[in-house]
Amino acid sequence: MLEVKNLRKEYAGLTAVKGISFTLKPGDIFGFIGSNGAGKTTTIRMISTLLEPTAGTAILNGADIRKDPMEVRRMLGYMPDFFGLYDDVKVWEYLDFFAAIYQVPVKQRTEVIDNVLELTDLTVKKGAFVQSLSRGMQQRLCLARCLVHDPALLLLDEPASGLDPRARAELKELIAELGRMGKIVIVSSHILPELADFCNTVGIIEKGELLAFGPVHQIVSEMQPP
């Protein structure tokens, strides 16, 4: 379970996130909606332990992001809105590198890599160079990288940006499958309809405040004109 408790971030003269709280359980796919600058990325970076909160905290399966950030990092996968891929590296080598970082035992790595490639539909590209992949395939490879250590929580910051309609549809189905596997998934976007068809929970943030949080059908109906 993920519990976000009064999470707040202040910069000099600016409050980027204003004490937001919500709880997610295994299998939840949470659509985090807001315009650019609303506070989505700041919130995600705090939950991922990359940015220290000014106040409040978040607890993932009993581990506190402020008191035990290394334990939290072992349980999450973070896919930023801009991700780096290395040229002249093959797909399996890229995943093997991150499996080593996450201390996946050597004897298990081949099986782990094959499993995440199958899940992300990249098996046929195992021996291809990373730079030869399409944008959509690179996006799925970055997601595969986040899965090599079997995290409980996935943080996906604008994962569909720059993708064509087919690649977006493929990514949505992959994220839905991760939810069915029992993972908690947070997906940020500035477009509600983009997430409404595969998220079960939605939150709307504006100017650092969580304006709405609840089941997707409830939030969508509340936003319909009377």
Side-chain angles (χ1 to χ4, degrees):
M1 180 177 291
L2 173 68
E3 299 174 83
V4 176
K5 300 181 176 182
N6 296 313
L7 208 54
R8 184 180 184 89
K9 184 61 181 178
E10 298 175 1
Y11 297 98
L14 170 69
T15 303
V17 176
K18 300 177 181 178
I20 67 173
S21 300
F22 58 85
T23 299
L24 299 172
K25 61 185 185 302
D28 278 342
I29 301 177
F30 173 51
F32 199 27
I33 315 295
S35 59
N36 292 335
K40 303 187 304 296
T41 297
T42 300
T43 301
I44 286 173
R45 292 188 69 204
M46 286 191 285
I47 295 172
S48 70
T49 75
L50 295 177
L51 189 64
E52 186 173 355
T54 303
T57 192
I59 298 173
L60 175 60
N61 292 345
D64 190 303
I65 61 170
R66 305 187 76 169
K67 297 176 182 177
D68 199 358
M70 293 306 296
E71 181 60 27
V72 172
R73 290 178 188 180
R74 293 187 186 99
M75 294 188 287
L76 65 80
Y78 172 47
M79 181 173 165
D81 55 349
F82 179 81
F83 54 89
L85 292 171
Y86 307 111
D87 289 345
D88 301 321
V89 173
K90 293 183 178 180
V91 166
W92 76 266
E93 292 173 327
Y94 178 79
L95 294 174
D96 185 70
F97 173 75
F98 283 98
I101 288 176
Y102 281 113
Q103 299 179 330
V104 176
V106 175
K107 292 181 179 180
Q108 296 177 18
R109 280 184 209 161
T110 298
E111 182 181 2
V112 166
I113 290 168
D114 286 345
N115 286 343
V116 297
L117 286 173
E118 182 178 357
L119 180 62
T120 54
D121 198 22
L122 288 172
T123 301
V124 296
K125 297 293 184 179
K126 182 176 180 178
F129 284 100
V130 167
Q131 68 266 31
S132 73
L133 302 182
S134 68
R135 167 76 181 181
M137 288 180 179
Q138 289 183 350
Q139 205 87 333
R140 297 206 305 274
L141 177 59
C142 188
L143 187 51
R145 180 204 79 195
C146 297
L147 294 169
V148 292
H149 60 303
D150 194 23
L153 170 65
L154 285 162
L155 303 166
L156 312 180
D157 196 358
E158 302 269 5
S161 63
L163 298 186
D164 61 41
R166 179 178 177 178
R168 283 172 182 255
E170 292 171 346
L171 185 65
K172 286 180 182 180
E173 178 52 38
L174 174 55
I175 294 171
E177 177 61 25
L178 293 171
R180 290 190 288 269
M181 291 169 64
K183 298 188 183 300
I184 302 170
V185 187
I186 296 180
V187 190
S188 76
S189 176
H190 58 280
I191 307 171
L192 177 56
E194 187 176 85
L195 302 182
D197 56 350
F198 70 99
C199 292
N200 68 331
T201 308
V202 169
I204 298 175
I205 188 171
E206 186 60 44
K207 296 180 180 178
E209 294 188 52
L210 194 62
L211 303 181
F213 174 82
V216 63
H217 59 83
Q218 174 187 322
I219 301 302
V220 170
S221 65
E222 288 175 357
M223 295 187 67
Q224 297 295 330

